[in-house]
Amino acid sequence: MTGSDGGADADDAAATDDTAAVRVDGVSKRYEGRQTTQPLRDVSLAVERGEFVCLVGPSGCGKTTLLRLLAGLESPTDGTISVGGSRVTGPGVDRGMVFQEYNLFPWKTVEENVRFGLDRPVCDCADCAARVADLVELVGLGGFEDAYPKELSGGMKQRVAVARALAVDPEVLLMDEPFGSIDAQTRDRLQAELLDIWRETGKTVVFVTHEIEEAVTLADRVVVLGAGSDGVVGDFDVDISRPRERTDPEFAAAVEGVRARIE
Amino acid sequence: MSFGTRLSFDFEPDVGRDESVNRVACAIAGVVGFLAVWTAAASVVHPDYLLPGPLTVLGALATEFTTDAPLAVPGIGGAVDLPRALTRLAQTLFHLVPGLLAGAFVGVATGLLVGYSPRVDATVTPVIRVLRPIPELAWIAFAIVWLGIGHAGAAFIVGVGALWINYYAAYSGVDGVHEGYKEVGATLGVRTHAGMLRHVVLPAALPSVVNGFRTSIGRCLMIVVGAELFGAPGVGYEIINASNNLDMARSMAYMLVISAVYICVDSTYAAAERRWLAWRP
């Protein structure tokens, strides 16, 4: 476990610009209204290609806002975001999003949900049916192709959502507290599966969570956003071999390091 | 309830449906009770023809099914002889079905659009607030002037009735579409509003639209009497005409025809709805 401050990392990333899958430059987000709020103030961050980064922080630190800006679902008030070298101006298939509340289309079966992105505007893959079947298999839902979301448990729904996001072969997988409403045992299994999928596909993953243990279990790098829009207050490389055990002293030390920075 | 100290017939708030209710037995009891009250009332009211009893109405209904009347077939021309009840029913359907479909189509299309686009909503809603409270039957004179006495005029009245129910069903359906579905659609490559409407908004709003259409079928059957007030032939006209001639039994026989049609259509539709929307939680 090595802790480094945000500034050094940013310099490092600037030198090797081409390898950055995600680059956030001086991004602020303000919501004007009767009460103006500013969840993000001057945040800069770079994520390497193939890296698994967890964003953690207390409620209201703007981690979900940052992820939504990366997805292009909202636009920054100031600053720029680029993914794969091109500027983000709106949602796109180069960024797959997985939501805490799954957001599966209830009128579509598992197979149809996974296929959705392939048909917009039109498939360009050689064999979409096979691709869908592979993805359903990858997330361990073989046999449930024709089930409707209402017939699935929370964990199964989130597996479908991951497969659906992966179907369009995005550059980056954005995950917004995806296991936040899933029971503890299922969550452990999903985390292990996600790491398998990550290894298998080599995707860049940006994963938002408020659970430090989850972040340390999953990430190559844990980025801490401060409360009160302080921006990046901590940036930790997690140098523990996977699979990581919570009982491992190294793991506990890493968790403590992150926790100290949050509080 | 092993700790219960109350007797089971004590009144307790009924949380959820009690599965032990024998619905068929209750339904039979309800219908028999209704017929008993009707018969008793009919025997009290004088003169007799003002409130005919169930058997008299049944007799009148039988007459309507055994007396033939010619049915002019629109479009093809010519006439076929059918039992009078069926002739009147067919005449009603000739304007009920086109009116219902046209009104529903316009209502759903407008409702989807207005519900989806805040700008269209802001523009159109003031106008709709003005038009909405106007009763369908207020348009009768206009329907006669614009479309003449006949199926077209009656279809117009029915259409106005179907329009608003379907409009609001579609509007609120679209309004209630979970924002997350649209966001998923956008991140998965839906680029245009047309695409979003077709692939995300319409399917998500479909239960509301389908249910609104079902309600509008009932509503249109109810306005059929009004729509046929001015002489368009059909069941509604027969109800008015017979009661104007103090032939209450015949008038009520046609009321039962409307009920029968509604029960058949609605239960068929309910079954179809369950199948179409099997995905609903």
Side-chain angles (χ1 to χ4, degrees):
Chain A
M1 167 95 197
T2 53
S4 63
D5 65 50
D9 253 25
D11 291 343
D12 194 36
T16 55
D17 196 23
D18 287 338
T19 63
V22 176
R23 172 165 290 283
V24 177
D25 254 329
V27 161
S28 299
K29 179 67 183 174
R30 245 189 332 273
Y31 294 104
E32 306 285 349
R34 222 174 329 165
Q35 192 165 13
T36 300
T37 55
Q38 180 164 24
L40 292 174
R41 186 184 298 142
D42 195 22
V43 172
S44 296
L45 180 71
V47 178
E48 303 286 304
R49 189 151 291 152
E51 199 175 17
F52 197 130
V53 169
C54 279
L55 296 178
V56 296
S59 307
C61 70
K63 52 194 191 295
T64 290
T65 305
L66 181 55
L67 202 71
R68 291 176 59 82
L69 294 176
L70 290 174
L73 296 171
E74 296 177 41
S75 348
T77 317
D78 288 305
T80 58
I81 294 175
S82 49
V83 169
S86 54
R87 177 104 178 250
V88 170
T89 53
V93 290
D94 55 334
R95 286 147 290 143
M97 180 94 173
V98 176
F99 298 83
Q100 180 179 358
E101 62 274 27
Y102 327 123
N103 285 339
L104 295 186
F105 299 126
W107 61 90
K108 288 185 175 291
T109 62
V110 167
E111 190 175 10
E112 291 164 345
N113 263 286
V114 174
R115 198 189 166 93
F116 185 86
L118 293 177
D119 293 338
R120 312 283 162 265
V122 78
C123 324
D124 57 354
C125 45
D127 189 351
C128 285
R131 179 165 173 76
V132 170
D134 285 349
L135 282 162
V136 171
E137 227 26 83
L138 178 72
V139 297
L141 284 177
F144 288 93
E145 288 85 352
D146 296 326
Y148 284 107
K150 67 166 180 183
E151 298 161 297
L152 305 178
S153 69
M156 293 161 92
K157 284 181 190 166
Q158 202 55 290
R159 289 188 178 102
V160 179
V162 169
R164 180 174 66 174
L166 288 172
V168 290
D169 200 18
E171 190 113 357
V172 182
L173 196 55
L174 305 170
M175 309 186 81
D176 185 13
E177 303 199 27
F179 309 143
S181 39
I182 288 168
D183 66 89
Q185 290 84 3
T186 312
R187 188 186 315 170
D188 287 348
R189 203 162 58 238
L190 287 175
Q191 287 170 350
E193 288 176 17
L194 177 61
L195 287 172
D196 288 344
I197 290 169
W198 171 64
R199 255 191 302 272
E200 204 161 315
T201 60
K203 296 289 174 208
T204 309
V205 180
V206 181
F207 187 109
V208 163
T209 178
H210 61 263
E211 302 226 355
I212 301 166
E213 282 83 2
E214 181 168 65
V216 174
T217 305
L218 294 171
D220 289 328
R221 213 174 116 207
V222 178
V223 173
V224 183
L225 292 178
S229 51
D230 288 340
V232 177
V233 297
D235 196 330
F236 300 85
D237 289 325
V238 184
D239 227 353
I240 307 171
S241 62
R242 297 183 176 95
R244 295 168 181 165
E245 293 298 331
R246 267 163 219 199
T247 46
D248 182 354
E250 230 185 332
F251 185 95
V255 169
E256 272 322 302
V258 176
R259 191 183 310 263
R261 195 57 65 93
I262 288 178
E263 283 154 7
Chain B
M1 200 55 114
S2 51
F3 300 110
T5 51
R6 298 184 189 186
L7 296 174
S8 60
F9 52 75
D10 260 9
F11 178 80
E12 284 181 29
D14 189 8
V15 181
R17 283 289 177 103
D18 185 351
E19 297 298 336
S20 67
V21 168
N22 185 339
R23 299 188 63 83
V24 175
C26 290
I28 291 171
V31 171
V32 169
F34 173 73
L35 290 174
V37 172
W38 181 5
T39 310
S43 67
V44 173
V45 173
H46 290 285
D48 283 346
Y49 63 82
L50 286 184
L51 180 56
L55 288 176
T56 321
V57 172
L58 207 60
L61 191 61
T63 310
E64 295 310 304
F65 274 97
T66 47
T67 316
D68 282 356
L71 170 68
V73 185
I76 306 164
V80 286
D81 273 337
L82 287 177
R84 187 156 57 203
L86 295 182
T87 297
R88 295 290 175 260
L89 186 57
Q91 286 166 332
T92 288
L93 293 180
F94 287 153
H95 50 255
L96 183 86
V97 173
L100 175 67
L101 293 181
F105 180 79
V106 175
V108 168
T110 327
L112 286 177
L113 199 65
V114 178
Y116 181 70
S117 161
R119 182 168 299 149
V120 176
D121 192 352
T123 313
V124 170
T125 296
V127 180
I128 284 174
R129 288 229 175 101
V130 173
L131 294 178
R132 169 68 189 106
I134 301 172
E136 297 88 346
L137 300 184
W139 296 103
I140 283 184
F142 297 90
I144 295 174
V145 175
W146 293 337
L147 299 165
I149 296 171
H151 289 306
F156 177 78
I157 301 295
V158 170
V160 173
L163 174 73
W164 295 118
I165 293 177
N166 284 284
Y167 170 81
Y168 280 105
Y171 180 93
S172 64
V174 172
D175 207 40
V177 172
H178 180 43
E179 205 57 37
Y181 297 155
K182 291 189 244 175
E183 292 181 348
V184 168
T187 60
L188 288 176
V190 177
R191 296 251 169 285
T192 60
H193 289 304
M196 192 61 88
L197 269 168
R198 176 157 165 238
H199 298 300
V200 178
V201 174
L202 180 57
L206 200 61
S208 176
V209 170
V210 165
N211 199 270
F213 185 71
R214 182 173 168 190
T215 315
S216 74
I217 296 175
R219 176 77 192 138
C220 287
L221 278 167
M222 288 165 80
I223 7 181
V224 145
V225 175
E228 294 172 2
L229 260 182
F230 54 88
V235 176
Y237 175 78
E238 205 65 60
I239 290 173
I240 298 294
N241 193 38
S243 60
N244 282 346
N245 296 329
L246 292 181
D247 192 350
M248 299 312 189
R250 192 161 155 225
S251 184
M252 289 170 92
Y254 278 101
M255 292 182 191
L256 291 181
V257 170
I258 288 199
S259 300
V261 170
Y262 178 73
I263 291 169
C264 291
V265 172
D266 193 65
S267 46
T268 311
Y269 194 91
E273 194 178 342
R274 271 195 296 278
R275 185 169 306 178
W276 292 336
L277 303 176
W279 54 266
R280 268 187 311 186

